[in-house]
Amino acid sequence: MAIVDDDPSMLRATKDLLDAHGFRTAVFPSAEEFLASNLVREADCLLLDIHLTGMSGIDLQRHLKASHFSVPVIFMTALDDEAIRRQAVETGCVACLRKPFPARQLFDAIEKAGAR
């Protein structure tokens, strides 16, 4: 599972939570760093912040789809904006979680994505 978030504390906390539950995780502080990695082809799920510095999470999801990479995406955002949420859903995401989200909500989304 790949986690992309430009908030270091959120990135670390999410990684620690998932690692503690047996997930193999890799973290990236930007969409660009994720794209430059080998995990673009290997990730079984992408936990992706919508509002990133540089390329946004929604733009990354669109890029992945245009490049024919089909990794399930779970978006997360600190902003509860209906227009942004609609854009996220239109990209074909599995879920859109509002930060801070309960661990159970994240695990439910991961199960829906079929990742493990």
Side-chain angles (χ1 to χ4, degrees):
M1 171 163 315
I3 308 165
V4 181
D5 196 326
D6 57 1
D7 176 346
S9 61
M10 184 67 182
L11 198 60
R12 186 176 46 257
T14 307
K15 177 179 177 32
D16 290 348
L17 173 67
L18 293 172
D19 287 351
H21 284 84
F23 290 91
R24 276 189 9 236
T25 58
V27 296
F28 303 91
S30 72
E32 293 83 0
E33 287 189 39
F34 174 70
L35 286 172
S37 77
N38 299 353
L39 286 179
V40 171
R41 299 184 195 290
E42 298 173 17
D44 60 351
C45 187
L46 179 57
L47 181 58
L48 180 56
D49 187 20
I50 290 176
H51 301 283
L52 296 167
T53 304
M55 177 187 278
S56 76
I58 290 174
D59 288 340
L60 174 58
Q61 168 69 334
R62 288 179 178 145
H63 174 80
L64 292 172
K65 288 187 118 184
S67 301
H68 304 289
F69 292 115
S70 60
V71 59
V73 171
I74 300 167
F75 279 117
M76 54 185 171
T77 182
L79 303 174
D80 196 14
D81 181 297
E82 187 56 40
I84 296 293
R85 185 176 294 276
R86 190 174 25 249
Q87 284 181 1
V89 169
E90 288 171 359
T91 67
C93 68
V94 173
C96 188
L97 309 179
R98 180 151 184 247
K99 296 177 187 178
F101 44 81
R104 181 76 261 152
Q105 192 177 21
L106 175 59
F107 293 131
D108 288 347
I110 292 170
E111 185 176 320
K112 184 177 177 185
R116 188 65 196 162

